[in-house]
Amino acid sequence: MLAIPGGLLAQYKSEVWCPDNGDGTYTNPVINADYSDPDVCVVGEDYYLTASSFQCTPGLPILHSRDLVNWEIIGYALGNLYEGDDALLNHFSSPRHGDGVWAPSIRYHNGEFYIYWGDPDFGVYMVKTKDPAGKWEAPVCVIAGKGMIDTTPLWDDDGRCYLVNGWANSRARFASVLTVRELNAEGTKAISNPVIVFDGNGTENRTCEGPKFYKRDGWYWIMCPAGGVPTGFQLAMRSKSPYGPYEHKIVLAQGKTSVNGPHQGAWVHTAFGEDWFLHFQDKECYGRVVHLQPVDWSSGWPIMGKKGEPVLTHKKPKSCSSTIVNPMESDEFNAPVLGKQWQWQANYDQKFGMPTAFGTMRIYTHKMDEGAVSLWNVPNMLLQKTPADNFTATAKLRMTSKEQNQTGGIIMMGLDYSALVVRRVDDGFQLLRLTCIAADKGKAQKEELIATLKPTERDKIDYQPAIHEDIFLRMVVADGQCRFFYSLNGKTFTEAGGVFTMKEGKWIGAKIGLLAVEPAGKTNRGWVEADWFRVSLK
């Protein structure tokens, strides 16, 4: 077993979703959060998962498990996009919704971990490390160019390395084909041109993408989804040559179950001789959550779930672990580093904010673009994934305002968003609901006045009013609906505005968290200070 520093010492059990039933069984999803396009590698009795992170930073989350059911976030493979390239660092300094890091693959080879992914605008990239919970090397551009996505390497028995990938129609203007080419043995550059090995155009296998490359008993296997994200199914295909031709079979589909579009993920062969498949399910505003299915190879094909249909509850995989642990959600902000559940909307700048020595997280007000009509292009939102279908998130905040119209609070962010914020107006403050429908289309947000608040403390030197007394802001989520509440004492909460219907983001689920903004200009920044952010059932 590899030593995993730090992360596994503080085991977190979620109040709102725990897949381990405590009786030797589990209930899907094993991760009820938006870990889109998951991939997993196995090293001994340890499993490591990564997923798409698009423009959010840090990027490429790394999760660890000992049993494929209980998962913990142990780090990220990427900091900012793309460190070492000044032009791309600047490009991703503003939110590039839906761009950046698309479906990755994680592999363990010759004592090192590798992650490959396709950035649809810039090419195929790779990072590697010997310690998945530690620092990863700077990204290497393996193949420059547009349109290549969903990349997976395969190191063959003779040391040669092959790469399979899909294609993004939005950039290449063609799709539904899978291609294979050879890389050098180090996996750092292509040494052959691509070959089309599968074509789903004009068949039920349209939208074939997200391929994963394996070798088993002398057969080359490509496992990939087809048929579309919310409605598709999982294919397995095999050949005696990496370049095909491949015969194929549907090995997982919704059937008579409630699990739509079960596909795109990772086949795992465990140290205990079992076979499993982790895949996503698209749950609209909640994003793409992760399910675990048993795999039966007795027919010579990897038939998943129960006779090719997904299971909701099943006996857990064999393991030597009985620890129950879930990805972090709540945060007391008592550590001098940002919690691993949080991501920014673009490349991190120190002026976004930072932890303090006072047990708080400070977020400085971001100066909006001239003429901005919504929060769509704000990079310093500190957000995390929704953790369940039903939950309550409450933040204890204080706002320090230096100038007029500085604003901070909590937000449910997506293509549509709604936020509950405090804003400096004249010598006082307003509590507002900010809501925007079709923010991605450039629509303007609407504002609703909820309450007027008096300053609770004045800066006697600069005479700049500030709320230093605590205000508690809350969102209650149930079945895709979000309601907002506030309290001045943390005990009695008052509803703030109407019900908001949640909406997914660009290729991601809706996200929850904190924001702090102000109008464009040269004024001194204000800030929001979060004492804690807690996720609970009620």
Side-chain angles (χ1 to χ4, degrees), residues 35 76 88 105 134 152 188 315 343 357 408 489 525:
Y35 286 90
Y76 289 83
L88 290 184
S105 60
T152 304
T188 58
K315 184 179 178 181
Q343 293 175 296
N489 59 17
R525 297 176 192 268

Side-chain angles (χ1 to χ4, degrees), residues 5 25-26 64 130 192 222 247 269 336 346 394 401 446 492 505 511:
T25 67
Y26 69 91
H64 171 263
K130 292 183 178 180
S192 77
I222 295 176
E247 57 180 322
H269 181 72
T394 307
S401 174
K446 296 181 179 180
T492 303
K511 299 181 80 170

Side-chain angles (χ1 to χ4, degrees), residues 17-22 25-31 69-71 325-326:
W17 186 262
C18 180
D20 194 321
N21 297 323
T25 67
Y26 69 91
T27 297
N28 275 316
V30 290
I31 308 177
V69 171
N70 292 278
W71 291 93
V325 62
N326 308 126

Side-chain angles (χ1 to χ4, degrees), residues 12-197:
Y12 178 85
K13 184 175 180 181
S14 172
E15 283 188 31
V16 297
W17 186 262
C18 180
D20 194 321
N21 297 323
D23 60 0
T25 67
Y26 69 91
T27 297
N28 275 316
V30 290
I31 308 177
N32 201 6
D34 181 42
Y35 286 90
S36 175
D37 314 317
D39 194 40
V40 177
C41 71
V42 54
V43 182
E45 296 177 17
D46 294 277
Y47 308 96
Y48 300 91
L49 179 149
T50 192
S52 299
S53 52
F54 301 100
Q55 86 284 358
C56 302
T57 65
L60 286 173
I62 307 297
L63 282 73
H64 171 263
S65 177
R66 295 277 284 166
D67 62 5
L68 295 172
V69 171
N70 292 278
W71 291 93
E72 180 177 16
I73 311 169
I74 61 171
Y76 289 83
L78 285 178
N80 284 339
L81 311 182
Y82 286 92
E83 292 172 344
D85 186 321
D86 290 342
L88 290 184
L89 277 168
N90 182 66
H91 178 80
F92 285 102
S93 64
S94 299
R96 303 284 179 175
H97 297 274
D99 295 348
V101 179
W102 285 26
S105 60
I106 183 169
R107 292 293 180 266
Y108 185 69
H109 173 65
N110 284 349
E112 293 186 294
F113 293 84
Y114 291 76
I115 297 178
Y116 286 74
W117 72 96
D119 181 309
D121 295 304
F122 299 108
V124 176
Y125 285 83
M126 179 270 285
V127 290
K128 67 176 183 174
T129 186
K130 292 183 178 180
D131 177 10
K135 178 70 174 176
W136 291 66
E137 295 181 11
V140 172
C141 184
V142 179
I143 311 169
K146 282 183 177 287
M148 295 167 287
I149 57 171
D150 305 351
T151 52
T152 304
L154 172 67
W155 278 274
D156 210 341
D157 305 327
D158 58 5
R160 297 173 71 175
C161 184
Y162 302 95
L163 186 83
V164 66
N165 68 274
W167 294 83
N169 190 72
S170 57
R171 272 71 164 187
R173 307 318 305 177
F174 65 85
S176 294
V177 295
L178 306 180
T179 59
V180 170
R181 75 193 80 198
E182 188 172 356
L183 304 183
N184 61 359
E186 296 76 25
T188 58
K189 63 180 180 180
I191 60 173
S192 77
N193 290 321
V195 175
I196 294 175
V197 298

Side-chain angles (χ1 to χ4, degrees), residues 305-468:
K306 184 177 181 180
K307 297 181 179 180
E309 294 187 4
V311 299
L312 286 179
T313 300
H314 197 272
K315 184 179 178 181
K316 288 175 58 179
K318 293 179 182 177
S319 77
C320 293
S321 175
S322 59
T323 300
I324 294 179
V325 62
N326 308 126
M328 289 288 293
E329 305 148 350
S330 298
D331 199 337
E332 297 298 311
F333 298 118
N334 289 332
V337 294
L338 188 64
K340 292 181 175 63
Q341 64 269 52
W342 298 106
Q343 293 175 296
W344 304 98
Q345 287 283 79
N347 278 346
Y348 173 67
D349 184 297
Q350 295 173 82
K351 295 186 292 295
F352 288 0
M354 58 200 80
T356 75
F358 326 124
T360 62
M361 180 66 195
R362 179 175 295 184
I363 305 177
Y364 285 101
T365 49
H366 172 73
K367 294 181 181 296
M368 302 277 283
D369 297 336
E370 290 282 359
V373 297
S374 78
L375 302 172
W376 183 247
N377 289 320
V378 172
N380 74 325
M381 291 186 197
L382 186 61
L383 304 177
Q384 63 170 284
K385 306 169 191 303
T386 57
D389 293 4
N390 303 295
F391 65 92
T392 295
T394 307
K396 181 182 179 183
L397 308 175
R398 62 180 64 104
M399 177 152 189
T400 299
S401 174
K402 297 290 186 178
E403 299 289 347
Q404 293 292 314
N405 295 312
Q406 291 178 339
T407 302
I410 62 173
I411 188 167
M412 175 66 75
M413 184 65 192
L415 302 176
D416 303 343
Y417 67 77
S418 194
L420 182 59
V421 300
V422 175
R423 175 181 293 170
R424 160 87 180 277
V425 177
D426 296 325
D427 287 334
F429 292 86
Q430 293 179 345
L431 185 68
L432 300 166
R433 273 284 297 277
L434 311 178
T435 300
C436 186
I437 306 301
D440 60 314
K441 304 297 184 185
K443 300 298 184 182
Q445 72 182 15
K446 296 181 179 180
E447 302 182 357
E448 178 185 359
L449 177 64
I450 302 300
T452 299
L453 306 172
K454 294 182 178 180
T456 53
E457 185 175 327
R458 280 185 181 272
D459 186 318
K460 296 179 181 179
I461 298 175
D462 294 330
Y463 299 98
Q464 295 172 324
I467 288 182
H468 284 298

